[in-house]
Amino acid sequence: MKNVELVFQLLYSLLDLRFLPDKLQRWLFDTGTRVITVTSAMVMIGFAGIFILGGSEVFHLKLYKGFLLLHPLTLSVLLIGVALTQLVIAIFKSNRCSVLSGYLLIFSALIWAVISATFWAFYPPLTTGMTTYPVLAVVCALAGRNLINYAKRIEDSKYKGR
């Protein structure tokens, strides 16, 4: 019975993100959009990593032939550049950074939509890229718009008091 309780405690700690330091947890989940920004950036870095580490072999697969419209290095640099910019801007807490982060999330939504369209262009077969990336695109677009509107409301409330 103690083993079951131990397993449940471990699962609770993992799901509750207790393995992260409190300061990092507060930063990551302070706004609902920051976790989306970090997730999108990490997935972009992972996606670019596949193109960099997988070499030309990745593009021999039917699903990835559409990505050859852009040079693999160009695509990787674009994805890593946007991702790192998102992560750096997410560190700062200012209204300007929030607006810029919002626009980067909207740009990320465009990137995810194009990636999704690339998977759809080579249908069949059905792939998870046909459902995962459109959802990520919509979530990024909505979070970006919300972040921009939130920053503008904060700015407007500052000037109303004057």
Side-chain angles (χ1 to χ4, degrees), residues 6 10 15 23 33 55 64 69 79 95 97 105 118 127 133:
L6 183 64
L10 181 65
L15 294 175
K23 190 174 182 179
T33 56
Y64 293 95
L69 295 173
L79 291 174
N95 284 333
C97 286
L105 273 171
T118 304
T127 68
Y133 300 117

Side-chain angles (χ1 to χ4, degrees), residues 84-149:
L84 290 179
T85 305
Q86 281 182 312
L87 291 174
V88 168
I89 290 174
I91 293 170
F92 302 103
K93 290 185 177 184
S94 73
N95 284 333
R96 284 186 178 169
C97 286
S98 291
V99 170
L100 186 54
S101 184
Y103 283 115
L104 281 169
L105 273 171
I106 292 171
F107 185 65
S108 295
L110 175 65
I111 290 171
W112 293 124
V114 169
I115 287 173
S116 173
T118 304
F119 282 107
W120 276 96
F122 287 92
Y123 170 78
L126 287 173
T127 68
T128 56
M130 300 167 105
T131 56
T132 304
Y133 300 117
V135 170
L136 192 53
V138 169
V139 168
C140 284
L142 292 175
R145 182 177 171 270
N146 183 55
L147 188 56
I148 292 167
N149 289 341

Side-chain angles (χ1 to χ4, degrees), residues 40-78:
S40 176
M42 294 303 214
V43 174
M44 277 188 196
I45 291 169
F47 211 88
I50 296 299
F51 291 140
I52 292 170
L53 299 175
S56 63
E57 296 168 10
V58 173
F59 300 104
H60 292 302
L61 299 170
K62 182 182 176 189
L63 291 173
Y64 293 95
K65 286 188 190 267
F67 291 100
L68 286 174
L69 295 173
L70 273 178
H71 190 275
L73 184 61
T74 305
L75 180 61
S76 297
V77 168
L78 173 71

